Amino acid sequence: MDLHGTFIAITTPFDEREDIALGHLQHNLDRWLAEAIDGVVVTGTTGEAVFLSLEERSRLWKFCAPQLQQAGKRFIAGAAAESTRATIEMVQVAAESGAEAVLVLTPSYFKPGPDALVSHYTAIADASPIPVLLYNYPAFTGVEIPSYTILKLAEHPNIHGMKDSSASLPRLATVLAHRPDFQMLTGLASGLYPFLSMGGSGGIFALGNIIPGLIAQLYRAFRSGNLVEAQRLQLKLAPLSEALEVRYGIPAIKFAMDQIGLCGGTPRKPLQRPSVSIQNEVDELLYLIFKSE
Amino acid sequence: MDLHGTFIAITTPFDEREDIALGHLQHNLDRWLAEAIDGVVVTGTTGEAVFLSLEERSRLWKFCAPQLQQAGKRFIAGAAAESTRATIEMVQVAAESGAEAVLVLTPSYFKPGPDALVSHYTAIADASPIPVLLYNYPAFTGVEIPSYTILKLAEHPNIHGMKDSSASLPRLATVLAHRPDFQMLTGLASGLYPFLSMGGSGGIFALGNIIPGLIAQLYRAFRSGNLVEAQRLQLKLAPLSEALEVRYGIPAIKFAMDQIGLCGGTPRKPLQRPSVSIQNEVDELLYLIFKSE
Amino acid sequence: MDLHGTFIAITTPFDEREDIALGHLQHNLDRWLAEAIDGVVVTGTTGEAVFLSLEERSRLWKFCAPQLQQAGKRFIAGAAAESTRATIEMVQVAAESGAEAVLVLTPSYFKPGPDALVSHYTAIADASPIPVLLYNYPAFTGVEIPSYTILKLAEHPNIHGMKDSSASLPRLATVLAHRPDFQMLTGLASGLYPFLSMGGSGGIFALGNIIPGLIAQLYRAFRSGNLVEAQRLQLKLAPLSEALEVRYGIPAIKFAMDQIGLCGGTPRKPLQRPSVSIQNEVDELLYLIFKSE
Amino acid sequence: MDLHGTFIAITTPFDEREDIALGHLQHNLDRWLAEAIDGVVVTGTTGEAVFLSLEERSRLWKFCAPQLQQAGKRFIAGAAAESTRATIEMVQVAAESGAEAVLVLTPSYFKPGPDALVSHYTAIADASPIPVLLYNYPAFTGVEIPSYTILKLAEHPNIHGMKDSSASLPRLATVLAHRPDFQMLTGLASGLYPFLSMGGSGGIFALGNIIPGLIAQLYRAFRSGNLVEAQRLQLKLAPLSEALEVRYGIPAIKFAMDQIGLCGGTPRKPLQRPSVSIQNEVDELLYLIFKSE
């Protein structure tokens, strides 16, 4: 599966009772799908996947699938559990629900080592009817997939790429040195341009919820060889990326969505609404982005 | 609820297809319930709770509840999810399935801070029909419940105690200094005697799967004022505790169970069978424990 | 060397220009040496050793040595550098300056593994004219000495004990299980009683700067078999220990000294004076300790 | 001071007694100064600075200064201690010994926060006769300089840039977004090209000891707009960079130097010679680099 391009890691809107609010999601999708993005990840980290039941995930996947297909956008489902077997079950449901590929986060709790990761991902890729992407997010999981483990897994015909939210440059370069065709995606919008310059395929971004157009513009500037413009856009969005993707996370992303007319709302608990001082900082960063666009 | 005493954090046996093997569990329960332990935690960390669906947990709880009651043993259910609402749902199922109390691990993925922990546990304790125990395991979750957060939560009438698998002495002492009646349980068998000496209530142990009698003997020695014997037993079991509870975890615990005629079996993947060198080390430690008992 | 008892990890007083203020130190020593403590560590972590040149350390050692001897107190010098050879040089100066033993912190920067630690400490113990104590402080160094590395090093005739500021109970119990005679000291006053109950020798405390008498009283209560009193004192001092030894460190310890008529003063930069809110918290904890003594 | 370009973080050669071997250093300098690099860092992390006394550092600086000047290479001295005042003293000696700028690592032991870092670096920059570079290396120090702390410090007229060995892309992008003129250098050769593409100035590399020419070639390819070649060279050197700069460190770097006719030798203890399996891996990586150059 071709993973070049930019993807939104979409949020999951909830109503006041914390139930999934498909109407709100529709409102957001209408805006997002009009943008020049290449696809969407449903039920990734930003979608609060760890708070969703398999039934809820499937409902979201089925809701999004036809719309994404009609809009010509690729559809990746976040599908991961702590055990290999629960992950395989989830991956199969994702495929039946219309996903074109699955993004599979490493297990976290028991801190699997390289051998356990190889056996885990191999079993999943063997069983999955659709392509598998590795997903590395050590800040949340406490687990890292080492370079040579990635390279071993990259030999599996059903493992098509990897999202690395740690944006480690040595890992990126070492993987691409051996396998320049392996599709490496970043999870940090502030690192998109350098990832592309090294030969990365693109990225999957929480920030895509807010400024999908700007991110797609950066991507296209790069692909068309307009590197000055790509770098300018990269620096322009960097402070917002660092604030929302690194420091403040989902509550601030949802708050920012509300500020620009999307349906952000509040996350499920125990995530908390951002403090007033964070809200003010986000407001200021949004102003700086939008005043000049 | 009175939480004094020693509890086994029981393993969950699986068959070759990784399905729950209730026959194997029965075999184990028959042995465990004949021991002088005070109770059992079903679906705790050692029960591979993160690998079990709510339906599987409930099946295990319902299987164990009548037997525990008949044997006069207390029954605590491990019940925790990443979101507050899923945890509340699980806690309610645990109560309906016969549990007397729930042991509620901190959320892990989004690293909740003190305010989020207070609101999370307060909501759960408000909703739970049975007493709630806090559960702190930073090595696996990356989250710590600070002393003064514990003390705030200890004021809730439905929060009856805490299991601290980090065995932090400053936390224990600070909590007990303010609330000597708050029931603090350790999760490390190698720390039981010092926990008791400070005023702790007891502990919940993975090692209880293997040597429940020895642990109960240590506990009784302490309570009857035989401190020399308590200390002797503490040092006797320490190397096995460190190997199984700190270094090698569930795969080694299940291997040790197999070696002494219990049904350990293999854990769910991605947990892996212990290496031969670990097996040999465990065999040696078992020999040292049992040769002299 | 007999390491049983309680030791103060004394602070190093500085004047406004951050030069060592021996007059202030004399004032403090006069108070401390009148207490029932067993000895003193000069230039340990609390002495801001990482900020002191070898010449400054030696000056402090020579200043303290005769007074300690006259008062019948044991004298341990903190002596550690990143390289093995610089540590050996420092240990030799400590011996020449009158120290009876050296407390040797693990190297930190390059994160030595078990083999490197064995070769490091063996070379130092071979070269040192006086007994060597291992010193483990992972919160500051990022390095841990594993149990079996300690046991290997405990066979060296010139390694007489260990200070473990992590207060890990599994490590303590595993070491004492194999070598009940190896002298294990804690660095957390809130963990003194449990350490003693397991067979530990005593401890070296930053809190000793403030309440040496209370700590010594706890120690003596334990040794004379008055465990109720030992436990009472343990809980009494725990909140102050957690605040000063775990959360706020040297700046707060020096502030607390000033509040009770000792010469604390300010630490060397980049350590900063404690904030007003920390000062207030320390004041309150001091009040709770002293009102009732 | 202009910090554009590529710099070698040179190793410090020792003889069998672990004394500095200036003859060996001369041998290496003769090779290095013939390369198209822009300058040299003496007594950085790779120079085993934490093992060197001030007198030894000064001897190395004075030895290198005239040769660097004559060769038209810039000369940066690594100068850092745990206290502000010892760092200021060292910086002044560096200036007197001929350094053109100082690279000042964050303190590590007491984990300074943002306020302490601002006051530390401001005092140093005020006192230093030569330009100061910030130096962030969290893998070794456990300390991070946050983006907005960097930006505050970047306003100081004597702080001219920063080396970030964590190669964090969000930090890089956020700093350059606000201050595109602030000179950001990477410490990972595998991240040079992406750093440059974002607007970074260049880098300071341990790998420069081994392949200074290849690194300089990459830099020049980028500056002359030959991005295809820059990317090709980046990927070519990445596996060696990850092995030597991220995984195995100084012992392996010195081993690699020996293999290509430079004087690497052994590091000071407690650093240990690399194992045979690491030696073989390094040999293989060297072969892959040099066979095709």
Side-chain angles (χ1 to χ4, degrees):
Chain A
M1 180 183 177
D2 180 5
L3 296 166
H4 287 77
T6 60
F7 295 77
I8 308 179
I10 67 171
T11 56
T12 302
F14 300 110
D15 62 22
E16 328 70 58
R17 297 173 53 204
E18 294 196 4
D19 288 324
I20 291 173
L22 290 179
H24 289 176
L25 178 55
Q26 188 60 60
H27 173 86
N28 296 341
L29 278 175
D30 290 344
R31 287 259 298 261
W32 291 328
L33 298 185
E35 300 280 355
I37 52 145
D38 298 284
V40 155
V41 171
V42 184
T43 67
T45 290
T46 310
E48 299 174 50
V50 292
F51 296 159
L52 301 173
S53 69
L54 179 51
E55 186 277 323
E56 287 179 318
R57 290 179 192 234
S58 171
R59 189 146 33 103
L60 288 163
W61 296 332
K62 285 178 177 156
F63 182 81
C64 293
Q67 303 195 49
L68 291 168
Q69 194 179 11
Q70 198 168 0
K73 308 294 189 191
R74 276 166 276 162
F75 170 18
I76 300 168
E82 287 289 334
S83 75
T84 307
R85 71 187 242 146
T87 307
I88 287 173
E89 183 194 354
M90 195 181 289
V91 157
Q92 282 163 341
V93 174
E96 289 157 17
S97 305
E100 295 171 87
V102 279
L103 179 64
V104 182
L105 184 68
T106 61
S108 164
Y109 195 69
F110 293 119
K111 315 294 171 218
D115 288 350
L117 289 169
V118 166
S119 110
H120 179 70
Y121 278 113
T122 300
I124 293 161
D126 284 348
S128 174
I130 52 178
V132 169
L133 281 72
L134 312 177
Y135 183 10
N136 189 56
Y137 207 158
F140 285 157
T141 61
V143 172
E144 300 245 16
I145 319 180
S147 309
Y148 289 93
T149 303
I150 298 166
L151 285 164
K152 203 174 284 180
L153 289 167
E155 291 171 19
H156 194 290
N158 205 26
I159 294 178
H160 288 218
M162 166 165 178
K163 177 183 181 188
D164 188 358
S165 289
S166 78
S168 157
L169 294 176
R171 180 159 34 218
L172 175 70
T174 298
V175 169
L176 292 180
H178 292 279
R179 281 288 306 271
D181 60 312
F182 191 67
Q183 301 181 99
M184 294 291 287
L185 296 116
T186 181
L188 295 173
S190 50
L192 174 54
Y193 175 45
F195 243 67
L196 294 172
S197 74
M198 289 277 274
S201 303
I204 297 169
F205 305 112
L207 205 64
N209 288 282
I210 326 258
I211 49 167
L214 201 65
I215 293 171
Q217 206 180 328
L218 188 172
Y219 181 80
R220 270 136 222 257
F222 178 85
R223 289 285 176 226
S224 63
N226 190 344
L227 301 187
V228 173
E229 177 67 358
Q231 190 203 33
R232 187 188 71 80
L233 293 168
Q234 180 63 93
L235 294 181
K236 179 175 179 176
L237 62 76
L240 188 66
S241 163
E242 199 204 28
L244 295 185
E245 293 179 340
V246 180
R247 286 209 302 271
Y248 305 133
I250 293 168
I253 289 161
K254 289 191 149 180
F255 169 78
M257 289 174 67
D258 287 332
Q259 298 301 89
I260 61 169
L262 291 162
C263 294
T266 46
R268 280 196 175 158
K269 295 190 194 69
L271 286 179
Q272 316 261 303
R273 277 192 75 76
S275 68
V276 171
S277 98
I278 292 177
Q279 291 183 17
N280 288 342
E281 185 180 342
V282 172
D283 272 336
E284 190 182 326
L285 289 166
L286 289 172
Y287 171 76
L288 291 172
I289 288 277
F290 285 106
K291 72 162 184 186
S292 58
E293 206 173 359
Chain B
M1 180 184 178
D2 180 6
L3 296 166
H4 288 77
T6 60
F7 296 77
I8 307 179
I10 67 171
T11 56
T12 302
F14 301 111
D15 63 21
E16 329 69 57
R17 296 172 53 206
E18 294 196 4
D19 288 324
I20 290 174
L22 290 179
H24 289 176
L25 179 54
Q26 188 60 60
H27 173 87
N28 297 340
L29 279 175
D30 290 344
R31 287 259 299 260
W32 291 327
L33 297 186
E35 299 281 356
I37 53 144
D38 298 283
V40 155
V41 171
V42 184
T43 67
T45 290
T46 311
E48 299 175 51
V50 293
F51 296 159
L52 300 173
S53 70
L54 179 51
E55 187 276 323
E56 288 178 317
R57 291 180 191 234
S58 172
R59 189 145 35 102
L60 289 163
W61 297 332
K62 286 178 177 155
F63 182 81
C64 293
Q67 304 195 49
L68 291 169
Q69 195 180 9
Q70 197 169 359
K73 307 295 189 190
R74 277 167 275 161
F75 170 18
I76 300 168
E82 287 289 332
S83 75
T84 307
R85 72 188 242 145
T87 307
I88 287 173
E89 184 194 354
M90 196 181 290
V91 158
Q92 283 162 341
V93 174
E96 289 157 17
S97 305
E100 296 172 87
V102 278
L103 179 64
V104 182
L105 184 69
T106 61
S108 164
Y109 195 68
F110 293 120
K111 314 294 169 218
D115 289 350
L117 289 169
V118 167
S119 110
H120 180 70
Y121 279 114
T122 301
I124 292 161
D126 285 348
S128 174
I130 51 178
V132 168
L133 281 73
L134 312 178
Y135 183 11
N136 190 56
Y137 207 158
F140 284 158
T141 62
V143 172
E144 300 245 15
I145 319 181
S147 309
Y148 290 93
T149 303
I150 298 166
L151 286 164
K152 202 175 285 180
L153 289 167
E155 292 171 19
H156 194 292
N158 205 25
I159 294 178
H160 287 217
M162 166 164 177
K163 176 182 180 188
D164 188 358
S165 289
S166 79
S168 157
L169 293 177
R171 180 158 36 219
L172 174 70
T174 298
V175 168
L176 292 180
H178 292 280
R179 282 289 305 272
D181 61 312
F182 192 68
Q183 300 181 100
M184 295 290 287
L185 296 117
T186 181
L188 295 174
S190 51
L192 174 55
Y193 175 46
F195 244 66
L196 294 172
S197 75
M198 289 278 274
S201 303
I204 297 168
F205 306 112
L207 205 64
N209 288 282
I210 327 258
I211 48 167
L214 201 65
I215 293 171
Q217 206 181 328
L218 189 171
Y219 181 80
R220 269 134 222 258
F222 178 84
R223 289 286 176 226
S224 63
N226 191 344
L227 302 188
V228 172
E229 176 67 358
Q231 190 202 33
R232 187 187 71 81
L233 293 168
Q234 180 64 94
L235 295 182
K236 180 175 178 176
L237 62 75
L240 188 67
S241 163
E242 198 203 30
L244 295 186
E245 293 180 339
V246 180
R247 286 209 302 271
Y248 305 133
I250 293 168
I253 289 161
K254 289 191 150 181
F255 169 79
M257 290 174 67
D258 287 333
Q259 298 301 90
I260 60 170
L262 291 162
C263 294
T266 47
R268 280 196 175 157
K269 296 191 193 70
L271 286 178
Q272 316 261 303
R273 275 191 78 75
S275 68
V276 171
S277 99
I278 292 176
Q279 292 183 18
N280 289 341
E281 186 180 342
V282 171
D283 272 337
E284 190 183 326
L285 289 166
L286 289 173
Y287 170 77
L288 291 172
I289 288 277
F290 286 106
K291 72 162 182 185
S292 57
E293 206 173 359
Chain C
M1 180 183 176
D2 180 7
L3 296 165
H4 287 76
T6 59
F7 295 77
I8 308 178
I10 67 172
T11 56
T12 303
F14 300 111
D15 62 23
E16 328 71 58
R17 297 173 52 205
E18 295 196 4
D19 288 324
I20 291 174
L22 291 179
H24 291 175
L25 179 55
Q26 188 60 60
H27 173 87
N28 296 340
L29 279 175
D30 290 344
R31 287 260 297 262
W32 291 328
L33 297 187
E35 300 279 356
I37 52 145
D38 297 284
V40 154
V41 170
V42 184
T43 67
T45 290
T46 310
E48 299 174 51
V50 292
F51 296 160
L52 300 173
S53 69
L54 179 50
E55 186 278 323
E56 289 178 316
R57 291 180 192 235
S58 171
R59 190 145 34 104
L60 289 162
W61 297 332
K62 286 179 178 157
F63 182 81
C64 293
Q67 305 195 47
L68 293 169
Q69 195 179 9
Q70 198 169 358
K73 308 294 188 190
R74 276 167 276 160
F75 170 18
I76 300 168
E82 287 288 333
S83 75
T84 306
R85 70 187 244 147
T87 307
I88 288 173
E89 182 194 354
M90 196 182 289
V91 157
Q92 282 162 341
V93 174
E96 289 157 16
S97 306
E100 295 171 87
V102 278
L103 178 64
V104 181
L105 184 69
T106 61
S108 164
Y109 196 69
F110 293 119
K111 314 296 171 218
D115 288 351
L117 289 169
V118 167
S119 111
H120 179 70
Y121 279 113
T122 301
I124 293 161
D126 284 348
S128 174
I130 51 178
V132 168
L133 281 73
L134 312 178
Y135 183 11
N136 189 55
Y137 207 159
F140 284 157
T141 62
V143 171
E144 300 246 16
I145 318 181
S147 309
Y148 291 93
T149 303
I150 298 166
L151 285 163
K152 202 174 286 180
L153 289 167
E155 292 172 18
H156 194 291
N158 205 26
I159 295 179
H160 288 218
M162 166 165 176
K163 176 182 182 187
D164 187 358
S165 289
S166 78
S168 158
L169 293 176
R171 180 159 33 219
L172 174 70
T174 299
V175 169
L176 292 180
H178 292 280
R179 281 288 306 272
D181 61 312
F182 192 67
Q183 301 181 98
M184 294 290 287
L185 296 116
T186 181
L188 295 173
S190 51
L192 174 54
Y193 175 47
F195 243 67
L196 294 172
S197 75
M198 290 276 274
S201 303
I204 297 169
F205 306 113
L207 205 63
N209 288 283
I210 327 261
I211 47 167
L214 202 65
I215 294 171
Q217 208 180 327
L218 189 172
Y219 181 80
R220 268 136 222 258
F222 178 85
R223 289 284 175 225
S224 63
N226 190 343
L227 301 187
V228 173
E229 175 67 358
Q231 190 201 33
R232 187 186 72 80
L233 293 168
Q234 180 64 92
L235 295 182
K236 179 173 178 176
L237 62 76
L240 188 67
S241 164
E242 199 202 29
L244 295 185
E245 293 179 340
V246 180
R247 286 209 302 272
Y248 305 132
I250 293 169
I253 289 161
K254 289 191 150 181
F255 169 78
M257 289 174 68
D258 286 333
Q259 297 302 89
I260 60 168
L262 291 163
C263 293
T266 46
R268 279 195 177 161
K269 295 190 194 69
L271 287 178
Q272 315 260 303
R273 277 190 76 76
S275 69
V276 171
S277 99
I278 292 177
Q279 291 184 16
N280 288 341
E281 186 180 343
V282 171
D283 272 337
E284 191 182 325
L285 289 166
L286 288 173
Y287 171 76
L288 292 172
I289 289 277
F290 285 107
K291 72 162 184 186
S292 57
E293 207 174 355
Chain D
M1 180 183 176
D2 180 7
L3 297 166
H4 287 77
T6 59
F7 295 76
I8 307 178
I10 67 171
T11 56
T12 302
F14 300 111
D15 61 24
E16 327 71 59
R17 297 172 52 203
E18 295 197 4
D19 288 323
I20 291 174
L22 290 180
H24 290 176
L25 179 54
Q26 188 61 59
H27 173 87
N28 296 340
L29 279 175
D30 290 344
R31 287 260 298 261
W32 291 328
L33 298 187
E35 299 281 354
I37 52 144
D38 297 284
V40 155
V41 170
V42 184
T43 67
T45 289
T46 311
E48 299 175 50
V50 293
F51 296 159
L52 300 173
S53 69
L54 179 51
E55 186 276 324
E56 287 178 318
R57 291 181 191 234
S58 171
R59 188 144 37 102
L60 288 162
W61 296 333
K62 285 178 178 157
F63 182 81
C64 292
Q67 305 194 48
L68 292 169
Q69 193 178 11
Q70 197 169 0
K73 308 296 188 189
R74 277 167 276 160
F75 170 19
I76 300 169
E82 287 289 332
S83 76
T84 307
R85 71 188 242 148
T87 308
I88 287 173
E89 183 194 354
M90 197 182 289
V91 157
Q92 282 163 341
V93 173
E96 289 157 16
S97 305
E100 295 172 87
V102 278
L103 179 64
V104 182
L105 184 70
T106 60
S108 164
Y109 196 70
F110 293 119
K111 314 296 171 217
D115 289 351
L117 288 170
V118 167
S119 109
H120 180 69
Y121 278 114
T122 301
I124 293 161
D126 284 349
S128 173
I130 52 177
V132 168
L133 281 74
L134 312 177
Y135 183 11
N136 190 56
Y137 207 159
F140 284 157
T141 62
V143 172
E144 299 246 16
I145 318 181
S147 308
Y148 290 94
T149 303
I150 298 167
L151 285 164
K152 202 174 286 179
L153 289 167
E155 292 170 19
H156 194 291
N158 205 27
I159 294 178
H160 288 218
M162 165 163 176
K163 177 182 181 187
D164 188 358
S165 289
S166 78
S168 158
L169 293 175
R171 179 157 37 218
L172 175 70
T174 298
V175 168
L176 292 180
H178 292 280
R179 282 287 306 272
D181 61 312
F182 191 67
Q183 301 181 100
M184 294 291 285
L185 295 116
T186 181
L188 295 173
S190 51
L192 174 55
Y193 175 46
F195 243 68
L196 294 172
S197 75
M198 290 277 274
S201 303
I204 298 169
F205 306 112
L207 206 63
N209 288 283
I210 326 261
I211 48 166
L214 202 65
I215 294 171
Q217 208 181 327
L218 189 172
Y219 181 80
R220 268 135 223 256
F222 178 84
R223 290 285 175 224
S224 64
N226 190 344
L227 302 187
V228 172
E229 176 67 358
Q231 191 202 32
R232 186 186 72 79
L233 293 168
Q234 180 65 92
L235 295 181
K236 180 175 178 177
L237 62 75
L240 188 66
S241 163
E242 198 202 29
L244 296 185
E245 293 179 339
V246 180
R247 286 208 303 271
Y248 305 133
I250 293 168
I253 289 161
K254 288 190 150 181
F255 170 77
M257 289 174 68
D258 287 333
Q259 297 301 89
I260 60 169
L262 290 162
C263 294
T266 47
R268 279 194 176 161
K269 296 191 192 70
L271 287 178
Q272 315 261 303
R273 276 191 77 77
S275 68
V276 170
S277 100
I278 291 177
Q279 291 183 16
N280 288 341
E281 186 181 342
V282 171
D283 272 336
E284 191 182 326
L285 289 166
L286 288 173
Y287 171 77
L288 292 172
I289 288 278
F290 285 106
K291 72 163 183 185
S292 57
E293 207 173 355

